[in-house]
């Protein structure tokens, strides 16, 4: 029971991060029908930028987080302008390959600037684990985990509100729905796409800062980009609530698989594969994910 | 008898048979046979270092042609072809080392097993399209990677599996040159099959699916059957390439067949040209030669700028990424199209049309 609870709580924490990064996928897919395979590199970049502010420049941690979010937003704008703009209206495979190329470029630039040695953030949170509840339902959580969960939830709520109420959010939803109609209503789809990439880079940047805080920064962090794809697909590529729900489902599933199945397989590794195997099953039953919009084709 | 110096001009084909012909002039046919003859003579002209590069190009050409059949001709994206190559390599390696099956049986068997696995992972294409299908193939890659590492009794896991070079009439093909004849022959056979495939009913059905799947279905193309067939065929090519790669490098390790290989294969067909058999070959050559060129350049540059050599791997990745994006922006039809432009320029010279 204790193990189960511990795994579920860990799953929720990791899941909130997954939800954040998956949100980046969903945003970009919704507004331009593209999957951004460089999402993991955005995350890694966010982690390193955060490290520059919090580590080298000694900025207070909260301010450092805000600054790195701003920097990540700027990077997103820049990338959209330089790389993605020429691909508006091109077939999906071209755009996917372009984001693959982009991921290679960002990764090699990051390695050139910061090297490949693992780094860690200056300690902000206490190492002492916090005990939630007592007795048979005892669960230990580290402070960093709790803050991660809180930050993710705050950002998720803020983004949901942004999409529902702000004029930019509504414009983004409109151009996601139908680019032509949005254009004719006077919405600059180009600008919307730029903001989308900015926000997508920002949410994965926050994921990067938080992950870096929990586990330190290594280049392997960029693999989160691919790890989170099942989350986005599971929820449905074009559904924001889907990304959030998918994040928690995959987070918990992964930790349960890691806790219960890994010891059965010599060498382990089930934790990494379980989300993908689950994904294949889900796709066979619900091809557009749990909440994705079904595309009905008429001839 | 036609005048031998006549230029090709205009389209005067009056029958479907003529229209479908591979060579429209006797000169084109002669040129092809000459090219093949030159390809077979290359090792004795160029020495074993260049031959080793040619070997890699030949092997990756087979895999790239396979992926191009699926992605370029049938329009289904696969981010899992590296794993299918791995299936072919491990399956044939297992047959050769554990059961003593000769290479000549094990390689096609490896291809067939890869085709079977490819067909299984192609089943989702019944319901999935576009990006969702691409991600399903990514899932295939991850799951197969896991199987390669953990199914130690068959694959050897992280300890990898050593395989011998194939033998012919008791002689092992243990030099670069002798192996090249095998690799080249297989690449030519697979290339010829692919070129001819698109002159048949099946090939045209695949192209129809790519262009407009609904219209194809209305025309009587069984979408599911042909999509799975495309997956199987394309995985067969990848499997044969894998079965050839194992004996070539003498060792099969799960690390060869990760997502990186899948991405490289995709990059090959993008750079070479989607929907072009020759393009796959150019793309494979580009991706094999590029890292060598970059490392040469870095070694050269490190005489003047110290420390460049250490960052070689990064430089390589950077150049790969940039090349992919530049090709996509500037010449989406890839090297095949560039080559055609060059040929047209000289054929039409001094006029531009």
């Amino acid at each position: 029971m204790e193990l189960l609870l511990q795994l579920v709580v860990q799953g929720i924490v990791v899941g909130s991060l997954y939800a954040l990064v998956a949100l980046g996928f969903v945003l970009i897919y919704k507004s331009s029908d593209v999957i951004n395979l460089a999402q993991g590199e955005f995350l890694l970049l966010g982690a390193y930028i955060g490290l520059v502010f919090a580590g080298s420049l000694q900025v207070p941690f909260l301010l450092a987080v805000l600054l790195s979010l701003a920097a990540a937003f700027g990077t997103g704008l820049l990338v959209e302008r330089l790389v993605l703009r020429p691909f508006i209206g091109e077939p999906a495979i071209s755009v996917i390959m372009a984001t693959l190329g982009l991921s290679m470029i960002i990764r090699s630039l990051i390695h050139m600037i910061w090297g490949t040695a693992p780094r860690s953030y200056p300690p902000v949170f206490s190492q002492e684990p916090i005990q939630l509840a007592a007795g048979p339902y005892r669960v230990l959580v580290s402070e960093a985990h709790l803050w991660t969960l809180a930050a993710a939830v705050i950002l998720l709520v803020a983004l949901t509100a942004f999409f529902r109420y702000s004029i930019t959010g509504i414009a983004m939803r409109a151009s996601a729905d139908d680019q032509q109609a949005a254009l004719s209503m006077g919405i600059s789809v180009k600008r919307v796409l730029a903001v989308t990439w900015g926000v997508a880079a920002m949410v994965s940047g926050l994921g990067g800062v938080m992950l870096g805080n929990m586990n330190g920064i290594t280049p392997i962090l960029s693999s989160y980009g691919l790890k989170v794809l099942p989350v986005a697909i599971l929820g449905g590529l074009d559904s924001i609530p889907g990304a959030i729900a998918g994040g928690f489902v995959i987070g918990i599933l992964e930790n349960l698989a890691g806790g219960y199945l890994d010891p059965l397989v010599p060498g382990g590794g089930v934790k990494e594969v379980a989300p993908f195997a689950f994904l294949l099953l889900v796709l066979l039953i619900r091809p557009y994910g749990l909440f994705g919009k079904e595309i009905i084709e008429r001839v | 008898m036609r005048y031998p110096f006549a230029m090709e001009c205009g389209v005067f084909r009056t029958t479907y048979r003529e229209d479908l012909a591979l060579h429209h002039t006797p000169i084109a046919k002669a040129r092809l046979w000459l090219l093949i003859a030159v390809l077979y003579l290359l090792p004795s002209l160029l020495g074993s270092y260049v031959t080793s590069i040619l070997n890699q190009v030949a092997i990756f050409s087979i895999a790239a042609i396979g992926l191009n059949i699926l992605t370029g001709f049938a329009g289904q994206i696969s981010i899992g072809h590296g794993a299918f190559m791995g299936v072919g390599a491990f399956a044939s390696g297992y047959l050769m080392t554990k059961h003593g099956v000769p290479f000549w049986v094990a390689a096609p068997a490896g291809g067939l097993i890869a085709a079977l696995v490819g067909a299984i992972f192609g089943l989702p294409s019944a319901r999935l399209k576009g990006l969702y299908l691409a991600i399903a193939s990514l899932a295939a890659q991850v799951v197969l990677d896991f199987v390669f590492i953990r199914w130690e009794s068959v694959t050897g896991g992280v300890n990898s599996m050593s395989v011998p070079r194939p033998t012919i009439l008791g002689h092992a093909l243990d030099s670069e040159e002798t192996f090249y004849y095998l690799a080249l022959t297989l690449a030519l056979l697979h290339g010829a099959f692919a070129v001819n495939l698109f002159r048949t009913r099946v090939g045209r059905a695949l192209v129809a699916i790519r262009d407009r799947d609904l219209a194809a279905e209305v025309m009587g193309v069984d979408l599911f059957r042909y999509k799975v067939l495309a997956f199987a065929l394309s995985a067969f090519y990848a499997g044969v390439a894998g079965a050839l790669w194992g004996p070539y490098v003498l060792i099969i390790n799960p690390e060869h067949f990760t997502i990186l290989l899948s991405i490289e294969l995709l990059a090959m067909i993008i750079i070479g040209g989607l929907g072009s058999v020759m393009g796959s070959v150019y793309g494979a050559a580009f991706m094999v030669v590029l890292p060598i060129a970059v490392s040469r350049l870095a070694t050269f540059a490190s005489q003047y700028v110290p420390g460049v050599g250490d960052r070689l791997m990064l430089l390589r990745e950077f150049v790969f990424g940039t090349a992919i994006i530049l090709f996509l922006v500037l010449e989406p039809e890839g090297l095949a199209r560039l080559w055609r432009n060059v040929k047209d320029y000289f054929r039409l010279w001094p006029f531009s049309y």
Side-chain angles (χ1 to χ4, degrees):
Chain A
M1 194 64 202
E2 205 181 310
L3 177 67
L4 178 70
L5 269 179
Q6 185 74 47
L7 289 173
V8 169
V9 169
Q10 256 172 30
I12 291 174
V13 173
V14 180
S16 65
L17 280 172
Y18 285 175
L20 265 183
V21 184
L23 206 58
F25 280 116
V26 171
L27 286 175
I28 289 175
Y29 182 79
K30 265 180 88 72
S31 60
S32 50
D33 275 2
V34 168
I35 284 192
N36 171 24
L37 291 181
Q39 199 76 8
E41 279 67 26
F42 280 160
L43 185 145
L44 190 60
L45 195 63
Y48 276 112
I49 294 175
L51 185 68
V52 169
F53 286 122
S56 317
L57 299 178
Q58 306 277 332
V59 181
F61 185 69
L62 194 62
L63 189 61
V65 171
L66 292 178
L67 282 175
S68 40
L69 288 190
F73 186 79
T75 318
L77 293 186
L78 192 72
V79 163
E80 195 276 338
R81 184 65 196 86
L82 289 181
V83 180
L84 276 304
R85 189 65 62 82
F87 288 99
I88 293 179
E90 293 282 322
I93 179 168
S94 308
V95 193
I96 293 188
M97 285 308 294
T99 62
L100 264 179
L102 180 67
S103 76
M104 289 176 173
I105 294 177
I106 299 182
R107 196 163 48 218
S108 59
L109 284 179
I110 287 177
H111 293 181
M112 280 183 208
I113 299 173
W114 285 288
T116 50
R119 310 279 193 96
S120 59
Y121 275 86
V124 201
F125 306 116
S126 78
Q127 298 297 309
E128 200 68 16
I130 299 169
Q131 185 174 333
L132 301 178
Y137 302 109
R138 199 169 68 103
V139 177
L140 293 176
V141 196
S142 78
E143 206 184 312
H145 281 149
L146 276 183
W147 279 110
T148 303
L149 185 60
V153 170
I154 289 171
L155 201 69
L156 289 176
V157 170
L159 278 174
T160 313
F162 171 75
F163 277 109
R164 182 151 300 175
Y165 302 113
S166 84
I167 196 91
T168 318
I170 294 170
M172 282 166 81
R173 278 194 291 152
S175 57
D177 209 37
D178 187 337
Q179 293 197 347
Q180 264 187 359
L183 270 172
S184 65
M185 299 303 286
I187 294 169
S188 163
V189 173
K190 270 192 282 188
R191 209 170 302 158
V192 164
L193 285 183
V195 174
T196 311
W197 276 82
V199 174
M202 198 174 78
V203 286
S204 23
L206 181 72
V209 173
M210 286 308 174
L211 267 170
N213 242 302
M214 282 199 302
N215 311 330
I217 307 176
T218 53
I220 301 169
L221 275 188
S222 66
S223 66
Y224 267 79
L226 292 183
K227 264 182 103 166
V228 167
L229 264 178
V231 174
I233 299 276
L234 176 67
L237 265 175
D238 48 7
S239 158
I240 291 174
I244 298 171
F248 289 116
V249 170
I250 295 279
I252 293 171
L253 175 88
E254 187 189 82
N255 271 286
L256 289 181
Y260 288 107
L261 296 179
D262 258 6
L264 303 179
V265 178
V270 183
K271 192 176 170 187
E272 278 72 38
V273 186
F276 282 96
F278 184 60
L279 170 75
L280 274 177
L281 282 180
V282 170
L283 282 180
L284 281 177
I285 300 162
R286 287 190 64 91
Y288 295 100
L290 297 179
F291 301 99
K293 193 174 70 182
E294 267 189 59
I295 301 164
I296 300 163
E297 287 178 283
R298 297 193 177 83
V299 187
Chain B
M1 179 71 192
R2 284 170 62 169
Y3 176 56
F5 296 104
M7 281 175 61
E8 195 184 345
C9 73
V11 179
F12 299 120
R13 296 160 205 156
T14 48
T15 61
Y16 281 116
R17 204 184 148 76
E18 274 178 44
D19 200 37
L20 281 174
L22 277 180
H23 328 283
H24 295 296
T25 60
I27 291 184
K29 195 172 182 180
R31 204 165 48 203
L32 183 70
W33 285 108
L34 189 70
L35 179 72
I36 291 174
V38 170
L39 281 176
Y40 273 102
L41 287 176
L42 278 180
S44 42
L45 300 173
L46 295 173
S48 53
Y49 176 66
V50 181
T51 310
S52 74
I53 297 175
L54 291 176
N55 272 328
Q56 295 174 43
V57 174
I59 294 170
F60 281 114
S61 294
I62 298 177
I65 292 173
L67 182 58
N68 221 337
I69 290 176
L70 183 66
T71 304
F73 288 104
Q76 315 294 311
I77 307 171
S78 162
I79 320 184
H81 253 61
F84 295 147
M85 220 173 136
V87 171
F90 281 116
S92 67
Y94 176 73
L95 289 175
M96 280 192 287
T97 53
K98 300 277 164 66
H99 296 286
V101 178
F103 172 83
W104 311 103
V105 180
L112 287 176
I113 293 169
L116 187 68
V117 174
I120 291 171
F121 281 107
L123 290 182
S125 69
R127 304 193 62 187
L128 304 179
K129 270 188 191 177
L131 292 174
Y132 284 92
L133 182 62
I135 303 309
S137 69
L138 176 71
Q141 168 79 44
V142 175
V143 171
L144 286 173
D145 258 357
F146 177 76
V147 172
F148 293 156
I149 296 179
R150 295 290 164 234
W151 198 9
E152 282 182 17
S153 54
V154 171
T155 66
V158 283
N159 301 321
S160 61
M161 170 198 279
S162 25
V163 279
R165 283 280 172 95
T167 54
I168 185 163
L169 302 174
H171 299 285
L173 300 177
D174 47 9
S175 71
E176 292 287 351
E177 284 85 353
T178 45
F179 194 85
Y180 173 75
Y181 297 121
L182 168 70
L184 177 65
T185 310
L186 282 178
L188 285 176
L189 283 177
H190 283 81
F193 182 81
V195 170
N196 283 296
L197 175 69
F198 295 99
R199 303 162 70 205
T200 65
R201 182 189 159 80
V202 176
R204 282 194 299 272
L206 295 182
V207 174
I209 291 175
R210 172 192 69 187
D211 289 344
R212 191 91 179 96
D213 51 352
L214 287 179
E217 193 160 27
V218 173
M219 304 280 283
V221 174
D222 183 346
L223 281 190
F224 179 58
R225 222 179 86 203
Y226 279 101
K227 278 185 186 173
V228 172
L229 181 72
F231 263 95
L233 190 61
S234 146
F236 177 83
Y237 272 65
V240 170
L244 206 53
W245 178 253
Y248 177 63
V249 292
L250 300 172
I251 200 157
I252 311 175
N253 189 294
E255 286 201 355
H256 289 153
F257 306 107
T258 57
I259 176 98
L260 290 177
L261 179 63
S262 297
I263 291 174
E264 273 186 28
L265 288 173
L266 269 174
M268 280 177 201
I269 62 169
I270 294 275
I271 289 175
L274 282 175
S276 155
V277 174
M278 276 319 283
S280 326
V281 180
Y282 303 147
F286 185 87
M287 290 302 267
V288 170
V289 172
L290 185 70
I292 300 171
V294 171
S295 77
R296 281 282 172 91
L297 202 69
T299 334
F300 178 71
S302 60
Q303 295 170 351
Y304 306 100
V305 192
V308 175
D310 309 338
R311 311 220 150 169
L312 196 65
M313 283 305 289
L314 307 177
L315 205 60
R316 194 192 120 170
E317 222 182 349
F318 184 80
V319 176
F320 263 19
T322 319
I324 292 174
I325 291 184
L326 284 182
F327 264 102
L328 284 169
V329 174
L330 302 176
E331 187 50 273
E333 288 177 59
L335 287 168
R337 180 56 184 264
L338 278 182
W339 177 233
R340 202 155 62 231
N341 288 349
V342 170
K343 276 199 299 196
D344 284 348
Y345 177 81
F346 283 105
R347 198 171 55 184
L348 301 173
W349 189 87
F351 306 109
S352 58
Y353 54 86

